[in-house]
Amino acid sequence: MIKIPKVKVISFDVDGTLVPTGFVDAVWLEGIPSLYAQKHKISFDEAYQIVTQAYNEVGDHRIEWYYLDYWIKRFDLDTTKEELFNKYKHKVKIYEDVEPIIKLLKKYYKIIICSNAEKDFILFQLKPILHHFHHIFSATSDFKEVKKSKEFYGKICELLKVKPEEVIHIGDHLIFDYLNPKEIGINAFLMNRNQHKVELRIPVMNNLEEILKFLNY
Ligand SMILES: [Mg+2]
């Protein structure tokens, strides 16, 4: 097994990597449509169609798509982000391997988050383990970028004063968590929690413990 030399920073994506998507899905696909249904006195299914169509029309290449407050305002819903988050807090789950591994790694490395999600979603879901992280970067909230581009990763390296070769990034999106960071020389790994068959010749992990094989700590 080849060890990665001189690692200083280990970076994690959030949704699909540290947490399942249940909470996020509940807020967007259940919370917003059900409030819309109540407001317009229509069925949930009708509201769901209207709301998801509006999401698609805006599309994930526009920054508003990521901002919950934009949608609350646009649909003129009688709620707040906090209220919606609290309504679905029972759906927040952190994968079991996350805290033990992060506790171990933080003794030797800077542990950071690099996510596309709006910052409040990250802070709410990771509340019990937030103190372990050295820094939390949200592409959409901190950089007003809709995707984790290679420029985004470049800026992170600059801010942390490290070279891309000194960074490991782990996430579940082929382009935003693997190809883009890889392009500037970051050691990237694709997370495949659900163990889908991956027919790609790239480094894939099924859980976080697998990272330990690559490290000399
Ligand atoms: Mg993800």
Side-chain angles (χ1 to χ4, degrees), residues 71-112:
W71 293 102
I72 292 171
K73 207 169 154 211
R74 171 164 166 168
F75 294 135
D76 192 22
L77 302 175
D78 183 22
T79 190
T80 61
K81 196 190 271 178
E82 293 66 38
E83 218 175 77
L84 262 174
F85 280 4
N86 282 317
K87 186 168 171 191
Y88 294 104
K89 66 169 188 270
H90 60 284
K91 299 242 182 191
V92 173
K93 183 180 174 300
I94 299 171
Y95 285 115
E96 274 169 22
D97 57 0
V98 173
E99 195 168 18
I101 289 288
I102 281 173
K103 266 178 153 166
L104 171 67
L105 295 178
K106 77 178 225 192
K107 292 190 214 157
Y108 309 94
Y109 309 100
K110 271 184 187 164
I111 305 298
I112 65 165

Side-chain angles (χ1 to χ4, degrees), residues 13 16-17 169-179 181-182 187-193 196-200 202-207 210:
D13 166 56
T17 302
H169 176 76
I170 306 166
D172 68 329
H173 195 287
L174 181 62
I175 298 166
F176 308 126
D177 293 310
Y178 182 77
L179 295 175
K182 193 88 193 159
N187 303 283
F189 293 88
L190 191 66
M191 178 55 87
N192 184 23
R193 291 269 186 197
H196 295 304
K197 233 175 151 217
V198 180
E199 305 273 357
L200 298 162
I202 59 172
V204 172
M205 291 183 187
N206 295 313
N207 60 65
E210 290 180 41

Side-chain angles (χ1 to χ4, degrees), residues 102-216:
I102 281 173
K103 266 178 153 166
L104 171 67
L105 295 178
K106 77 178 225 192
K107 292 190 214 157
Y108 309 94
Y109 309 100
K110 271 184 187 164
I111 305 298
I112 65 165
I113 296 279
C114 285
S115 169
N116 252 344
E118 191 185 3
K119 201 141 194 180
D120 290 339
F121 275 92
I122 304 172
L123 301 181
F124 190 79
Q125 293 185 89
L126 297 183
K127 211 181 283 168
I129 60 165
L130 274 181
H131 58 284
H132 296 310
F133 293 93
H134 180 262
H135 213 109
I136 292 166
F137 296 106
S138 154
T140 46
S141 299
D142 296 326
F143 299 95
K144 307 287 174 252
E145 269 193 41
V146 293
K147 293 292 172 204
K148 293 184 282 189
S149 61
K150 61 179 195 210
E151 290 77 19
F152 165 80
Y153 286 105
K155 273 186 238 167
I156 305 288
C157 291
E158 237 171 74
L159 283 166
L160 297 175
K161 299 188 174 64
V162 291
K163 298 190 195 97
E165 312 87 79
E166 296 170 327
V167 179
I168 286 178
H169 176 76
I170 306 166
D172 68 329
H173 195 287
L174 181 62
I175 298 166
F176 308 126
D177 293 310
Y178 182 77
L179 295 175
N180 288 353
K182 193 88 193 159
E183 217 180 309
I184 64 159
I186 287 176
N187 303 283
F189 293 88
L190 191 66
M191 178 55 87
N192 184 23
R193 291 269 186 197
N194 303 320
Q195 311 206 2
H196 295 304
K197 233 175 151 217
V198 180
E199 305 273 357
L200 298 162
R201 291 193 182 187
I202 59 172
V204 172
M205 291 183 187
N206 295 313
N207 60 65
L208 282 190
E209 263 166 47
E210 290 180 41
I211 189 65
L212 301 179
K213 296 185 296 202
F214 298 95
L215 297 167
N216 276 316

